[in-house]
Amino acid sequence: MSPRRRDSASTAAARAERRAELLAAAAEVFALRGYAVTTVREVADAAGILGGSLYYHFDSKESMADEILSAFLTDMWAAYEEVLDAGLGARETFRALIGASFQTIDHHRPAVVIYQNESKHLTTNPRFSYLLDSQQRFREVWLSVLDRGVLDGELRADLDTGLIYRFIRDTVWVAASWYRNDGPLSADEIARQYLAMVLEGILQPKEF
Amino acid sequence: MSPRRRDSASTAAARAERRAELLAAAAEVFALRGYAVTTVREVADAAGILGGSLYYHFDSKESMADEILSAFLTDMWAAYEEVLDAGLGARETFRALIGASFQTIDHHRPAVVIYQNESKHLTTNPRFSYLLDSQQRFREVWLSVLDRGVLDGELRADLDTGLIYRFIRDTVWVAASWYRNDGPLSADEIARQYLAMVLEGILQPKEF
Amino acid sequence: MSPRRRDSASTAAARAERRAELLAAAAEVFALRGYAVTTVREVADAAGILGGSLYYHFDSKESMADEILSAFLTDMWAAYEEVLDAGLGARETFRALIGASFQTIDHHRPAVVIYQNESKHLTTNPRFSYLLDSQQRFREVWLSVLDRGVLDGELRADLDTGLIYRFIRDTVWVAASWYRNDGPLSADEIARQYLAMVLEGILQPKEF
Amino acid sequence: MSPRRRDSASTAAARAERRAELLAAAAEVFALRGYAVTTVREVADAAGILGGSLYYHFDSKESMADEILSAFLTDMWAAYEEVLDAGLGARETFRALIGASFQTIDHHRPAVVIYQNESKHLTTNPRFSYLLDSQQRFREVWLSVLDRGVLDGELRADLDTGLIYRFIRDTVWVAASWYRNDGPLSADEIARQYLAMVLEGILQPKEF
DNA sequence: TATGAATGAGAGTTCATTCAT
DNA sequence: AATGAATGAACTCTCATTCAT
């Protein structure tokens, strides 16, 4: 390997790493304070540099949000695909998707918070139209799982699956708002209890 | 009776009515576009007047949000108090609180959306500290109902009540984001299905 | 006429007048210091208001330049059209166009300076593509006059008309850079001497 | 001779050559896009290096413009001096100065464009006060030639020599904007036709 | 010689707010 | 009650410049 190549290799890597650091800082602040309300100076402060310096690495505040959300969605869909490709039954698919969701929250917590809070406003911008695409695909995946569950007799037929879908959509990501790596409950444990709640309800079973 | 006096007599009522109109317009826009991102000109446009004219009626953009949220919380707590004062059992209290919540959504939809989306950011402002108070009280009420339900043997003991609480907190208001008066499901019907989901789960009961 | 109508009429007029004042100030500063280098605060200073206040009247710095240049070109072409529609001979058309040019300079001096100095850079912006259109049309008009003059035997045939055209194009507007209403030479006198120079040259005629 | 010493020896020449290359690139870009609007990154791009690297060779963007313009003016004045020292008559001096001007354009085209477009703005900076000096001297030289021509009976007396001077000043350099080495007209041919126009006018001589 | 990350002043623009009318 | 012009602070972004490597 020529020094030149090693140089440019390590440079490219170093650059990517720096970007990742800055994006992590940005995601944290966007999640905490809200994207619209966060100034790029605040992001820079969090990263320990000056406002203008961010523009050496990124085109705009918008592209930071873009990269943060894209990375999250890419990972999430990779995890979802893996589940969907496994050919499991409706119920197991359900469990696995929930598990994948909480794992994604574990890895992209601030991004999920941003996704949850800012999607509605960001999607007015064509640049973020992929958020809409993703939402639509998310809906299709979940509705198909729910409908299959009802057909298979595994899920109750007396509930509107559209309502169940919204219920799941609105609850699955919201955990990112309060979840902490270092909290008392692990991602897996939260997923387990979440599943128990959603599948079996919170009533004492003897009630039936 | 001079026209002037009659004018000023009717003015008090008229003024209140105008304020209500303007607040309704403001709430709609804040809910739709987000409080931080909405300009007071947009609010004024929605009300058919010019930006500066709003300041005849309100001190600031902030006080509009304040009034909108206060009115919502006042009504909500009135409904909650009525339920809590009825001395019902844990399970019936649970049902009734959920019903009251969806009724409140029905009456204050835009306010609830604002509450859901903006509380986190607004509470950094001392003026909105009552939001924190309300949230704390909300938590106490629900935790006490849940704990009582567990003690009475009506609710499962294997779930973290803190988790159930967060689950309810995060889902109960979110319906405001998609709920429509003129949609296919009434507030009562949504409350019924929501209760069924949360209490009994979405699995086919025979599964047990 | 209802008071309402008179009101809105006088309002519209007042607004237009204010815009005109501000545009005059802007044109002066743009001409003096250069468009790119002039800050909108400088324009505002010249108008006696604050930077932000300009945005009540104009969308952007760009639209100020746009309005200034459009107004100039509109007037210039009106004057040119009048000349071209008069059906004069080549030589008289030549004289009249030069006269119209200097009249336009007299009325739009700063705009002409801006046109002269900034066209090249502004035309990279699609918004100002009309400058290119105007330049092309200007070229067509002048070349046709020159070619006709040569055909009619009124203009020398041993000079490249393309060169003459460029010569005229580059000199006719440049007077705006030093011309002053209150200077020793009137617009008409300058036009007369300019014509004499261009038509007859600066040599003593007896020389031939 | 140590390699070090040989290095530094060749460095002096190499450095000068590199500077010349960079200045040529800078002049081209400044001329094309405008000095104020050109970023030093654009200059660097044109030279195939990075923005910061220019500062190894030059103190500032300003000094690049400075060197570019100084070199042009030095050469121009050398050519002018040669003409003035030749002790020719007014008319021959006139011809020779125009010739020298077009030769200078031929050798310093981008610099002349910059000179033409940016002088007005640059002269607000004391560093470029030599531009003002040069302009004043230019004026003196030309006025003296013109006045001598009138006195000698070679130039018409019915035209304001101040106006003729401005006319020449404004037209002589402007050719740099469209002149091309590889165009159909050589510098000498342009000078010839320019002289014909200015001296004899564009009318058919028989007209007199 | 050149790189690349960072600086920091200043640009155009936005917007809640004020106030004379 | 409402208008419309203006304010002024704050924002995103640009760019000449610096400097360790």
Side-chain angles (χ1 to χ4, degrees), chain A residues 22-47 68 109-111 113-114 118, chain B residues 120-121:
Chain A
L22 297 173
L23 284 177
E28 213 72 65
V29 187
F30 288 159
L32 186 65
R33 307 242 308 115
Y35 171 74
V37 125
T38 298
T39 69
V40 358
R41 259 194 76 190
E42 283 168 336
V43 172
D45 281 356
I68 291 165
R109 194 188 44 73
V113 173
I114 298 168
E118 319 286 352
Chain B
K120 189 171 62 175
H121 309 315

PDB file of all heavy atoms in Angstrom, chain A residues 22-47 68 109-111 113-114 118, chain B residues 120-121:
ATOM      1  N   LEU A  22     -19.970  14.734  14.873  1.00  0.00           N
ATOM      2  CA  LEU A  22     -20.771  15.959  14.800  1.00  0.00           C
ATOM      3  C   LEU A  22     -22.254  15.618  14.666  1.00  0.00           C
ATOM      4  O   LEU A  22     -23.112  16.261  15.295  1.00  0.00           O
ATOM      5  CB  LEU A  22     -20.307  16.810  13.624  1.00  0.00           C
ATOM      6  CG  LEU A  22     -18.860  17.306  13.718  1.00  0.00           C
ATOM      7  CD1 LEU A  22     -18.431  17.997  12.429  1.00  0.00           C
ATOM      8  CD2 LEU A  22     -18.699  18.265  14.902  1.00  0.00           C
ATOM      9  N   LEU A  23     -22.554  14.600  13.867  1.00  0.00           N
ATOM     10  CA  LEU A  23     -23.949  14.213  13.703  1.00  0.00           C
ATOM     11  C   LEU A  23     -24.527  13.700  15.016  1.00  0.00           C
ATOM     12  O   LEU A  23     -25.693  13.954  15.339  1.00  0.00           O
ATOM     13  CB  LEU A  23     -24.073  13.139  12.617  1.00  0.00           C
ATOM     14  CG  LEU A  23     -23.956  13.648  11.188  1.00  0.00           C
ATOM     15  CD1 LEU A  23     -24.029  12.488  10.206  1.00  0.00           C
ATOM     16  CD2 LEU A  23     -25.060  14.660  10.883  1.00  0.00           C
ATOM     17  N   ALA A  24     -23.712  12.983  15.766  1.00  0.00           N
ATOM     18  CA  ALA A  24     -24.191  12.486  17.057  1.00  0.00           C
ATOM     19  C   ALA A  24     -24.540  13.658  17.969  1.00  0.00           C
ATOM     20  O   ALA A  24     -25.595  13.673  18.622  1.00  0.00           O
ATOM     21  CB  ALA A  24     -23.135  11.597  17.702  1.00  0.00           C
ATOM     22  N   ALA A  25     -23.656  14.648  17.981  1.00  0.00           N
ATOM     23  CA  ALA A  25     -23.923  15.828  18.796  1.00  0.00           C
ATOM     24  C   ALA A  25     -25.199  16.529  18.325  1.00  0.00           C
ATOM     25  O   ALA A  25     -26.066  16.905  19.118  1.00  0.00           O
ATOM     26  CB  ALA A  25     -22.737  16.790  18.732  1.00  0.00           C
ATOM     27  N   ALA A  26     -25.299  16.676  17.015  1.00  0.00           N
ATOM     28  CA  ALA A  26     -26.474  17.358  16.450  1.00  0.00           C
ATOM     29  C   ALA A  26     -27.751  16.609  16.790  1.00  0.00           C
ATOM     30  O   ALA A  26     -28.748  17.211  17.215  1.00  0.00           O
ATOM     31  CB  ALA A  26     -26.329  17.482  14.930  1.00  0.00           C
ATOM     32  N   ALA A  27     -27.717  15.293  16.632  1.00  0.00           N
ATOM     33  CA  ALA A  27     -28.914  14.489  16.894  1.00  0.00           C
ATOM     34  C   ALA A  27     -29.350  14.669  18.347  1.00  0.00           C
ATOM     35  O   ALA A  27     -30.538  14.848  18.639  1.00  0.00           O
ATOM     36  CB  ALA A  27     -28.632  13.020  16.599  1.00  0.00           C
ATOM     37  N   GLU A  28     -28.384  14.646  19.226  1.00  0.00           N
ATOM     38  CA  GLU A  28     -28.698  14.811  20.648  1.00  0.00           C
ATOM     39  C   GLU A  28     -29.420  16.141  20.894  1.00  0.00           C
ATOM     40  O   GLU A  28     -30.439  16.194  21.572  1.00  0.00           O
ATOM     41  CB  GLU A  28     -27.383  14.767  21.432  1.00  0.00           C
ATOM     42  CG  GLU A  28     -27.476  14.163  22.801  1.00  0.00           C
ATOM     43  CD  GLU A  28     -27.676  12.650  22.743  1.00  0.00           C
ATOM     44  OE1 GLU A  28     -26.775  11.923  22.267  1.00  0.00           O
ATOM     45  OE2 GLU A  28     -28.762  12.207  23.169  1.00  0.00           O
ATOM     46  N   VAL A  29     -28.895  17.194  20.337  1.00  0.00           N
ATOM     47  CA  VAL A  29     -29.485  18.513  20.573  1.00  0.00           C
ATOM     48  C   VAL A  29     -30.832  18.653  19.870  1.00  0.00           C
ATOM     49  O   VAL A  29     -31.798  19.165  20.453  1.00  0.00           O
ATOM     50  CB  VAL A  29     -28.537  19.632  20.097  1.00  0.00           C
ATOM     51  CG1 VAL A  29     -29.080  20.980  20.509  1.00  0.00           C
ATOM     52  CG2 VAL A  29     -27.161  19.439  20.685  1.00  0.00           C
ATOM     53  N   PHE A  30     -30.905  18.195  18.638  1.00  0.00           N
ATOM     54  CA  PHE A  30     -32.182  18.252  17.923  1.00  0.00           C
ATOM     55  C   PHE A  30     -33.255  17.503  18.707  1.00  0.00           C
ATOM     56  O   PHE A  30     -34.400  17.960  18.822  1.00  0.00           O
ATOM     57  CB  PHE A  30     -32.061  17.631  16.527  1.00  0.00           C
ATOM     58  CG  PHE A  30     -31.280  18.447  15.542  1.00  0.00           C
ATOM     59  CD1 PHE A  30     -30.723  17.851  14.415  1.00  0.00           C
ATOM     60  CD2 PHE A  30     -31.110  19.816  15.726  1.00  0.00           C
ATOM     61  CE1 PHE A  30     -30.015  18.602  13.489  1.00  0.00           C
ATOM     62  CE2 PHE A  30     -30.391  20.571  14.800  1.00  0.00           C
ATOM     63  CZ  PHE A  30     -29.848  19.951  13.685  1.00  0.00           C
ATOM     64  N   ALA A  31     -32.878  16.348  19.237  1.00  0.00           N
ATOM     65  CA  ALA A  31     -33.848  15.531  19.962  1.00  0.00           C
ATOM     66  C   ALA A  31     -34.278  16.232  21.249  1.00  0.00           C
ATOM     67  O   ALA A  31     -35.452  16.248  21.612  1.00  0.00           O
ATOM     68  CB  ALA A  31     -33.256  14.165  20.284  1.00  0.00           C
ATOM     69  N   LEU A  32     -33.316  16.817  21.905  1.00  0.00           N
ATOM     70  CA  LEU A  32     -33.610  17.423  23.209  1.00  0.00           C
ATOM     71  C   LEU A  32     -34.429  18.702  23.081  1.00  0.00           C
ATOM     72  O   LEU A  32     -35.386  18.916  23.822  1.00  0.00           O
ATOM     73  CB  LEU A  32     -32.281  17.733  23.922  1.00  0.00           C
ATOM     74  CG  LEU A  32     -32.397  18.243  25.358  1.00  0.00           C
ATOM     75  CD1 LEU A  32     -32.996  17.160  26.236  1.00  0.00           C
ATOM     76  CD2 LEU A  32     -31.036  18.670  25.888  1.00  0.00           C
ATOM     77  N   ARG A  33     -34.066  19.535  22.125  1.00  0.00           N
ATOM     78  CA  ARG A  33     -34.655  20.860  22.076  1.00  0.00           C
ATOM     79  C   ARG A  33     -35.640  21.047  20.923  1.00  0.00           C
ATOM     80  O   ARG A  33     -36.367  22.036  20.903  1.00  0.00           O
ATOM     81  CB  ARG A  33     -33.555  21.913  21.938  1.00  0.00           C
ATOM     82  CG  ARG A  33     -32.467  21.781  22.994  1.00  0.00           C
ATOM     83  CD  ARG A  33     -32.374  22.991  23.873  1.00  0.00           C
ATOM     84  NE  ARG A  33     -32.258  24.217  23.136  1.00  0.00           N
ATOM     85  CZ  ARG A  33     -33.187  25.195  23.127  1.00  0.00           C
ATOM     86  NH1 ARG A  33     -34.305  25.062  23.804  1.00  0.00           N
ATOM     87  NH2 ARG A  33     -32.973  26.295  22.463  1.00  0.00           N
ATOM     88  N   GLY A  34     -35.635  20.130  19.986  1.00  0.00           N
ATOM     89  CA  GLY A  34     -36.492  20.288  18.809  1.00  0.00           C
ATOM     90  C   GLY A  34     -35.687  20.845  17.651  1.00  0.00           C
ATOM     91  O   GLY A  34     -34.919  21.795  17.825  1.00  0.00           O
ATOM     92  N   TYR A  35     -35.894  20.299  16.472  1.00  0.00           N
ATOM     93  CA  TYR A  35     -35.077  20.683  15.325  1.00  0.00           C
ATOM     94  C   TYR A  35     -35.244  22.156  14.978  1.00  0.00           C
ATOM     95  O   TYR A  35     -34.265  22.894  14.838  1.00  0.00           O
ATOM     96  CB  TYR A  35     -35.454  19.818  14.116  1.00  0.00           C
ATOM     97  CG  TYR A  35     -34.834  20.270  12.824  1.00  0.00           C
ATOM     98  CD1 TYR A  35     -33.497  20.055  12.569  1.00  0.00           C
ATOM     99  CD2 TYR A  35     -35.596  20.937  11.862  1.00  0.00           C
ATOM    100  CE1 TYR A  35     -32.923  20.470  11.382  1.00  0.00           C
ATOM    101  CE2 TYR A  35     -35.024  21.355  10.672  1.00  0.00           C
ATOM    102  CZ  TYR A  35     -33.686  21.127  10.443  1.00  0.00           C
ATOM    103  OH  TYR A  35     -33.120  21.552   9.275  1.00  0.00           O
ATOM    104  N   ALA A  36     -36.491  22.596  14.856  1.00  0.00           N
ATOM    105  CA  ALA A  36     -36.745  23.961  14.384  1.00  0.00           C
ATOM    106  C   ALA A  36     -36.159  24.987  15.340  1.00  0.00           C
ATOM    107  O   ALA A  36     -35.663  26.028  14.926  1.00  0.00           O
ATOM    108  CB  ALA A  36     -38.238  24.192  14.200  1.00  0.00           C
ATOM    109  N   VAL A  37     -36.220  24.673  16.596  1.00  0.00           N
ATOM    110  CA  VAL A  37     -35.874  25.630  17.643  1.00  0.00           C
ATOM    111  C   VAL A  37     -34.379  25.609  17.963  1.00  0.00           C
ATOM    112  O   VAL A  37     -33.851  26.546  18.557  1.00  0.00           O
ATOM    113  CB  VAL A  37     -36.769  25.322  18.872  1.00  0.00           C
ATOM    114  CG1 VAL A  37     -35.952  25.082  20.104  1.00  0.00           C
ATOM    115  CG2 VAL A  37     -37.817  26.401  19.049  1.00  0.00           C
ATOM    116  N   THR A  38     -33.721  24.566  17.533  1.00  0.00           N
ATOM    117  CA  THR A  38     -32.282  24.468  17.771  1.00  0.00           C
ATOM    118  C   THR A  38     -31.524  25.321  16.770  1.00  0.00           C
ATOM    119  O   THR A  38     -31.776  25.253  15.575  1.00  0.00           O
ATOM    120  CB  THR A  38     -31.816  23.003  17.620  1.00  0.00           C
ATOM    121  OG1 THR A  38     -32.475  22.210  18.594  1.00  0.00           O
ATOM    122  CG2 THR A  38     -30.323  22.890  17.805  1.00  0.00           C
ATOM    123  N   THR A  39     -30.606  26.118  17.252  1.00  0.00           N
ATOM    124  CA  THR A  39     -29.789  26.913  16.348  1.00  0.00           C
ATOM    125  C   THR A  39     -28.524  26.120  16.004  1.00  0.00           C
ATOM    126  O   THR A  39     -28.073  25.281  16.793  1.00  0.00           O
ATOM    127  CB  THR A  39     -29.360  28.245  16.972  1.00  0.00           C
ATOM    128  OG1 THR A  39     -28.428  27.984  18.030  1.00  0.00           O
ATOM    129  CG2 THR A  39     -30.554  28.980  17.556  1.00  0.00           C
ATOM    130  N   VAL A  40     -27.959  26.421  14.860  1.00  0.00           N
ATOM    131  CA  VAL A  40     -26.763  25.669  14.494  1.00  0.00           C
ATOM    132  C   VAL A  40     -25.624  26.049  15.435  1.00  0.00           C
ATOM    133  O   VAL A  40     -24.700  25.250  15.633  1.00  0.00           O
ATOM    134  CB  VAL A  40     -26.386  25.826  13.000  1.00  0.00           C
ATOM    135  CG1 VAL A  40     -27.367  26.682  12.269  1.00  0.00           C
ATOM    136  CG2 VAL A  40     -24.989  26.309  12.827  1.00  0.00           C
ATOM    137  N   ARG A  41     -25.721  27.190  16.053  1.00  0.00           N
ATOM    138  CA  ARG A  41     -24.709  27.531  17.054  1.00  0.00           C
ATOM    139  C   ARG A  41     -24.790  26.595  18.252  1.00  0.00           C
ATOM    140  O   ARG A  41     -23.775  26.223  18.834  1.00  0.00           O
ATOM    141  CB  ARG A  41     -24.894  28.975  17.533  1.00  0.00           C
ATOM    142  CG  ARG A  41     -23.936  29.946  16.899  1.00  0.00           C
ATOM    143  CD  ARG A  41     -23.915  31.269  17.633  1.00  0.00           C
ATOM    144  NE  ARG A  41     -23.184  31.228  18.893  1.00  0.00           N
ATOM    145  CZ  ARG A  41     -23.182  32.194  19.782  1.00  0.00           C
ATOM    146  NH1 ARG A  41     -23.884  33.291  19.563  1.00  0.00           N
ATOM    147  NH2 ARG A  41     -22.502  32.085  20.887  1.00  0.00           N
ATOM    148  N   GLU A  42     -26.012  26.224  18.604  1.00  0.00           N
ATOM    149  CA  GLU A  42     -26.154  25.281  19.718  1.00  0.00           C
ATOM    150  C   GLU A  42     -25.541  23.931  19.371  1.00  0.00           C
ATOM    151  O   GLU A  42     -24.887  23.296  20.199  1.00  0.00           O
ATOM    152  CB  GLU A  42     -27.638  25.120  20.077  1.00  0.00           C
ATOM    153  CG  GLU A  42     -28.188  26.281  20.878  1.00  0.00           C
ATOM    154  CD  GLU A  42     -29.714  26.244  20.972  1.00  0.00           C
ATOM    155  OE1 GLU A  42     -30.359  25.631  20.102  1.00  0.00           O
ATOM    156  OE2 GLU A  42     -30.257  26.830  21.907  1.00  0.00           O
ATOM    157  N   VAL A  43     -25.788  23.513  18.152  1.00  0.00           N
ATOM    158  CA  VAL A  43     -25.189  22.251  17.712  1.00  0.00           C
ATOM    159  C   VAL A  43     -23.670  22.358  17.795  1.00  0.00           C
ATOM    160  O   VAL A  43     -22.988  21.467  18.315  1.00  0.00           O
ATOM    161  CB  VAL A  43     -25.615  21.914  16.276  1.00  0.00           C
ATOM    162  CG1 VAL A  43     -24.835  20.725  15.752  1.00  0.00           C
ATOM    163  CG2 VAL A  43     -27.114  21.643  16.217  1.00  0.00           C
ATOM    164  N   ALA A  44     -23.153  23.458  17.279  1.00  0.00           N
ATOM    165  CA  ALA A  44     -21.707  23.650  17.278  1.00  0.00           C
ATOM    166  C   ALA A  44     -21.169  23.687  18.705  1.00  0.00           C
ATOM    167  O   ALA A  44     -20.151  23.058  19.007  1.00  0.00           O
ATOM    168  CB  ALA A  44     -21.359  24.934  16.536  1.00  0.00           C
ATOM    169  N   ASP A  45     -21.858  24.392  19.578  1.00  0.00           N
ATOM    170  CA  ASP A  45     -21.442  24.430  20.984  1.00  0.00           C
ATOM    171  C   ASP A  45     -21.331  23.021  21.533  1.00  0.00           C
ATOM    172  O   ASP A  45     -20.351  22.667  22.199  1.00  0.00           O
ATOM    173  CB  ASP A  45     -22.474  25.210  21.816  1.00  0.00           C
ATOM    174  CG  ASP A  45     -22.300  26.712  21.672  1.00  0.00           C
ATOM    175  OD1 ASP A  45     -21.343  27.126  20.991  1.00  0.00           O
ATOM    176  OD2 ASP A  45     -23.119  27.470  22.224  1.00  0.00           O
ATOM    177  N   ALA A  46     -22.366  22.239  21.242  1.00  0.00           N
ATOM    178  CA  ALA A  46     -22.381  20.871  21.761  1.00  0.00           C
ATOM    179  C   ALA A  46     -21.198  20.078  21.224  1.00  0.00           C
ATOM    180  O   ALA A  46     -20.719  19.143  21.863  1.00  0.00           O
ATOM    181  CB  ALA A  46     -23.689  20.189  21.396  1.00  0.00           C
ATOM    182  N   ALA A  47     -20.731  20.471  20.033  1.00  0.00           N
ATOM    183  CA  ALA A  47     -19.620  19.738  19.417  1.00  0.00           C
ATOM    184  C   ALA A  47     -18.276  20.387  19.757  1.00  0.00           C
ATOM    185  O   ALA A  47     -17.221  19.868  19.391  1.00  0.00           O
ATOM    186  CB  ALA A  47     -19.802  19.673  17.908  1.00  0.00           C
ATOM    187  N   ILE A  68     -29.035  12.234   9.649  1.00  0.00           N
ATOM    188  CA  ILE A  68     -29.423  11.559  10.889  1.00  0.00           C
ATOM    189  C   ILE A  68     -30.614  10.648  10.645  1.00  0.00           C
ATOM    190  O   ILE A  68     -30.621   9.482  11.059  1.00  0.00           O
ATOM    191  CB  ILE A  68     -29.767  12.613  11.970  1.00  0.00           C
ATOM    192  CG1 ILE A  68     -28.505  13.358  12.397  1.00  0.00           C
ATOM    193  CG2 ILE A  68     -30.444  11.960  13.156  1.00  0.00           C
ATOM    194  CD1 ILE A  68     -28.779  14.632  13.184  1.00  0.00           C
ATOM    195  N   ARG A 109     -31.467   6.275  19.380  1.00  0.00           N
ATOM    196  CA  ARG A 109     -32.438   6.967  20.221  1.00  0.00           C
ATOM    197  C   ARG A 109     -32.712   8.404  19.797  1.00  0.00           C
ATOM    198  O   ARG A 109     -33.868   8.760  19.502  1.00  0.00           O
ATOM    199  CB  ARG A 109     -32.053   6.906  21.700  1.00  0.00           C
ATOM    200  CG  ARG A 109     -33.185   7.310  22.634  1.00  0.00           C
ATOM    201  CD  ARG A 109     -32.715   7.418  24.043  1.00  0.00           C
ATOM    202  NE  ARG A 109     -31.439   8.106  24.141  1.00  0.00           N
ATOM    203  CZ  ARG A 109     -31.276   9.407  23.965  1.00  0.00           C
ATOM    204  NH1 ARG A 109     -32.310  10.178  23.684  1.00  0.00           N
ATOM    205  NH2 ARG A 109     -30.080   9.947  24.058  1.00  0.00           N
ATOM    206  N   PRO A 110     -31.701   9.267  19.691  1.00  0.00           N
ATOM    207  CA  PRO A 110     -32.036  10.658  19.337  1.00  0.00           C
ATOM    208  C   PRO A 110     -32.687  10.758  17.958  1.00  0.00           C
ATOM    209  O   PRO A 110     -33.623  11.537  17.776  1.00  0.00           O
ATOM    210  CB  PRO A 110     -30.689  11.364  19.346  1.00  0.00           C
ATOM    211  CG  PRO A 110     -29.752  10.452  20.052  1.00  0.00           C
ATOM    212  CD  PRO A 110     -30.256   9.071  19.870  1.00  0.00           C
ATOM    213  N   ALA A 111     -32.210   9.954  17.041  1.00  0.00           N
ATOM    214  CA  ALA A 111     -32.801  10.006  15.696  1.00  0.00           C
ATOM    215  C   ALA A 111     -34.286   9.652  15.744  1.00  0.00           C
ATOM    216  O   ALA A 111     -35.108  10.263  15.058  1.00  0.00           O
ATOM    217  CB  ALA A 111     -32.062   9.052  14.760  1.00  0.00           C
ATOM    218  N   VAL A 113     -36.312  10.054  18.239  1.00  0.00           N
ATOM    219  CA  VAL A 113     -37.039  11.183  18.841  1.00  0.00           C
ATOM    220  C   VAL A 113     -37.288  12.263  17.786  1.00  0.00           C
ATOM    221  O   VAL A 113     -38.397  12.793  17.657  1.00  0.00           O
ATOM    222  CB  VAL A 113     -36.256  11.770  20.035  1.00  0.00           C
ATOM    223  CG1 VAL A 113     -36.927  13.031  20.538  1.00  0.00           C
ATOM    224  CG2 VAL A 113     -36.127  10.733  21.140  1.00  0.00           C
ATOM    225  N   ILE A 114     -36.252  12.569  17.018  1.00  0.00           N
ATOM    226  CA  ILE A 114     -36.415  13.565  15.961  1.00  0.00           C
ATOM    227  C   ILE A 114     -37.472  13.093  14.967  1.00  0.00           C
ATOM    228  O   ILE A 114     -38.371  13.846  14.591  1.00  0.00           O
ATOM    229  CB  ILE A 114     -35.065  13.797  15.234  1.00  0.00           C
ATOM    230  CG1 ILE A 114     -34.034  14.344  16.210  1.00  0.00           C
ATOM    231  CG2 ILE A 114     -35.248  14.739  14.061  1.00  0.00           C
ATOM    232  CD1 ILE A 114     -32.612  14.330  15.676  1.00  0.00           C
ATOM    233  N   GLU A 118     -40.511  15.536  14.521  1.00  0.00           N
ATOM    234  CA  GLU A 118     -40.342  16.521  13.453  1.00  0.00           C
ATOM    235  C   GLU A 118     -40.832  16.050  12.092  1.00  0.00           C
ATOM    236  O   GLU A 118     -40.934  16.863  11.165  1.00  0.00           O
ATOM    237  CB  GLU A 118     -38.864  16.925  13.328  1.00  0.00           C
ATOM    238  CG  GLU A 118     -38.131  17.107  14.633  1.00  0.00           C
ATOM    239  CD  GLU A 118     -38.510  18.403  15.366  1.00  0.00           C
ATOM    240  OE1 GLU A 118     -39.233  19.238  14.772  1.00  0.00           O
ATOM    241  OE2 GLU A 118     -38.091  18.562  16.517  1.00  0.00           O
TER     242      GLU A 118
ATOM    243  N   LYS B 120     -42.887  19.630  25.780  1.00  0.00           N
ATOM    244  CA  LYS B 120     -41.491  19.468  26.180  1.00  0.00           C
ATOM    245  C   LYS B 120     -40.713  20.771  26.047  1.00  0.00           C
ATOM    246  O   LYS B 120     -39.933  21.140  26.917  1.00  0.00           O
ATOM    247  CB  LYS B 120     -40.833  18.381  25.327  1.00  0.00           C
ATOM    248  CG  LYS B 120     -39.453  18.010  25.843  1.00  0.00           C
ATOM    249  CD  LYS B 120     -38.886  16.780  25.143  1.00  0.00           C
ATOM    250  CE  LYS B 120     -38.710  17.017  23.669  1.00  0.00           C
ATOM    251  NZ  LYS B 120     -38.046  15.901  22.979  1.00  0.00           N
ATOM    252  N   HIS B 121     -40.940  21.482  24.918  1.00  0.00           N
ATOM    253  CA  HIS B 121     -40.180  22.706  24.701  1.00  0.00           C
ATOM    254  C   HIS B 121     -40.731  23.873  25.499  1.00  0.00           C
ATOM    255  O   HIS B 121     -39.986  24.701  25.997  1.00  0.00           O
ATOM    256  CB  HIS B 121     -40.161  23.032  23.214  1.00  0.00           C
ATOM    257  CG  HIS B 121     -39.742  21.852  22.404  1.00  0.00           C
ATOM    258  ND1 HIS B 121     -38.668  21.067  22.748  1.00  0.00           N
ATOM    259  CD2 HIS B 121     -40.268  21.286  21.285  1.00  0.00           C
ATOM    260  CE1 HIS B 121     -38.530  20.085  21.877  1.00  0.00           C
ATOM    261  NE2 HIS B 121     -39.490  20.184  20.987  1.00  0.00           N
TER     262      HIS B 121
END
